[in-house]
Amino acid sequence: MDSKTRVKTALAHQVPDQIPFGEFAIDYDTVEKILGRETYVRAKAKSQIALWEGRRDEVVQSWKEDGVELYKKLDFIDIVCVNSIAWGMVPPKGYTPDPPKRIDDTTWEDKAGRILKLSDITGDITCVHDPVAQAQEYKIEDFQKEPEVTAPDPSVFEAMDYVIKHLGKDKYILGGSGNHVGMVMLGGMERGCLEYMINPELIHAVNEYHYKQGSLEDAFYIRPGQDGVLWGQDYSYNSGPLISPDMFREFVVPLTGQRVRDINAKYGIPVWHHACGNNWPILDCFVDMGLACYQSIQPTAGMDIREVKVQYGDKIALWGGVPVEHLVSGSTDDIKRDVRYAVESAKHGGGYIFGSSHSIAVGTKYENFMTMVDEFLKVRRY
């Protein structure tokens, strides 16, 4: 079987020739070891700083050429996620950057007073203080109008379309879509959760608006040649969902599920979901929403892949296996045990895709990554 057929067979809960292998993302430090040179691929902070400095074409060229070379070298991987962070949409050609003011080596402030901070652990630049979101007022009437969606400049898809063109024949391509609704967090995490309790009608109005908006955006953001849509949002802490399962079923399931059905019907492709945390209380909702595959099965949050397979393996395809924490700080013996545990637990009957529990994250030991690959290749055949 080729990669596309192998993945589609697994999604249909049938047994392919061998277990498909995919990663949500492979971060730059591992990419550089594989390519033998520096890269902007999944170098999130480095890419962002370069974009602020006006080096857009340099970043895009690296994402294109290095990204394709990476997956040609990793010819045993079946899935390519073209919309992973720092390998998706790019600023349009000819744009003029408006960079934030640098406060120190790891901190920036933009004109609205947002504070951005570099994390050495994850290689991200994230907003740690957002006075705009905190002060924003949200009114139901603002979301009762029809959304206006305009076509983006085609050059924002330059990197994604290049990767699809050069890898789409051989690999299963996961890409993006318009807004997927999901769990709306108005004004940030703390305030967002509170809004579900004190302003439920507002949340319903926002969801309806996002549903209409996303449906219109699909025509632009679902790219020609992609085989599936990959959404990513964390609905849970390690201890359980951010909102109650009943609230999740009321606010998230209906319109997110309708978005899935719309994409299935109009574009003929499945929707996958990346969601970290302890999702046990809402896994029935994942099934009810019609998701084809659940990725980021996090054992450190209580999501044991063997038990998930037993309870849900006939309802939704599963993608995961080796805990990212072991890839970063474990031993090669840990990795060998993890690979065999995942394969033995989840391969039977199809419906399983091998990979890490999240991604090949910054800080992954290269020896551990290669051990994972070598061990998997020994046991991947049915």
Side-chain angles (χ1 to χ4, degrees), residues 106-183:
T106 62
T107 312
W108 295 261
E109 181 178 3
D110 72 10
K111 292 179 179 177
R114 299 181 186 89
I115 302 298
L116 310 173
K117 196 78 175 176
L118 169 67
S119 168
D120 290 331
I121 296 175
T122 64
D124 288 302
I125 296 175
T126 58
C127 182
V128 296
H129 174 64
D130 189 347
V132 177
Q134 293 170 3
Q136 178 72 41
E137 292 186 17
Y138 300 97
K139 301 176 182 178
I140 289 179
E141 52 265 32
D142 293 336
F143 299 96
Q144 292 176 329
K145 57 188 178 182
E146 292 299 312
E148 296 182 5
V149 173
T150 57
D153 186 309
S155 63
V156 303
F157 302 111
E158 183 180 345
M160 297 173 67
D161 288 348
Y162 181 94
V163 173
I164 293 172
K165 177 181 177 181
H166 287 83
L167 295 177
K169 180 180 177 181
D170 300 316
K171 305 286 187 180
Y172 186 97
I173 304 293
L174 282 172
S177 72
N179 196 317
H180 85 275
V181 185
M183 185 186 297

Side-chain angles (χ1 to χ4, degrees), residues 89-90 92 149-157 216-223:
M89 292 173 56
V90 295
V149 173
T150 57
D153 186 309
S155 63
V156 303
F157 302 111
L216 295 171
E217 290 172 339
D218 283 344
F220 308 115
Y221 295 97
I222 295 180
R223 306 305 295 164

Side-chain angles (χ1 to χ4, degrees), residues 295-364:
Q295 194 270 342
S296 200
I297 302 167
Q298 187 181 346
T300 52
M303 304 303 300
D304 179 78
I305 197 165
R306 177 168 291 174
E307 190 59 30
V308 178
K309 178 70 175 186
V310 169
Q311 295 194 35
Y312 289 91
D314 61 339
K315 302 178 181 70
I316 187 171
L318 306 176
W319 180 6
V322 177
V324 65
E325 296 86 353
H326 286 181
L327 288 165
V328 172
S329 58
S331 68
T332 55
D333 287 340
D334 292 330
I335 302 303
K336 291 176 182 178
R337 284 193 295 269
D338 292 335
V339 171
R340 291 186 176 269
Y341 180 80
V343 169
E344 291 166 4
S345 298
K347 69 178 285 187
H348 53 88
Y352 175 57
I353 295 158
F354 177 80
S356 68
S357 66
H358 183 278
S359 63
I360 307 303
V362 171
T364 291

Side-chain angles (χ1 to χ4, degrees), residues 1-20 78-79 172 227 270 272 292 309 313 316-318 347-353 382:
M1 289 182 176
D2 61 18
S3 288
K4 287 183 185 290
T5 304
R6 185 173 299 125
V7 174
K8 290 177 181 179
T9 301
L11 287 180
H13 297 272
Q14 298 171 359
V15 177
D17 60 334
Q18 54 193 24
I19 301 168
D78 298 294
I79 298 170
Y172 186 97
D227 300 292
W272 307 42
K309 178 70 175 186
I316 187 171
L318 306 176
K347 69 178 285 187
H348 53 88
Y352 175 57
I353 295 158
Y382 276 93

Side-chain angles (χ1 to χ4, degrees), residues 203-267:
I203 299 297
H204 281 302
V206 174
N207 285 345
E208 289 279 354
Y209 184 87
H210 283 180
Y211 168 77
K212 295 176 182 177
Q213 181 185 54
S215 298
L216 295 171
E217 290 172 339
D218 283 344
F220 308 115
Y221 295 97
I222 295 180
R223 306 305 295 164
Q226 74 181 66
D227 300 292
V229 167
L230 176 64
W231 290 338
Q233 184 177 14
D234 295 340
Y235 298 126
S236 301
Y237 298 108
N238 284 0
S239 57
L242 299 172
I243 57 177
S244 73
D246 285 344
M247 294 177 76
F248 191 90
R249 186 166 292 280
E250 175 186 352
F251 291 103
V252 180
V253 172
L255 291 178
T256 300
Q258 190 58 53
R259 287 283 288 121
V260 171
R261 292 186 290 274
D262 291 347
I263 290 171
N264 294 164
K266 186 171 182 179
Y267 296 92

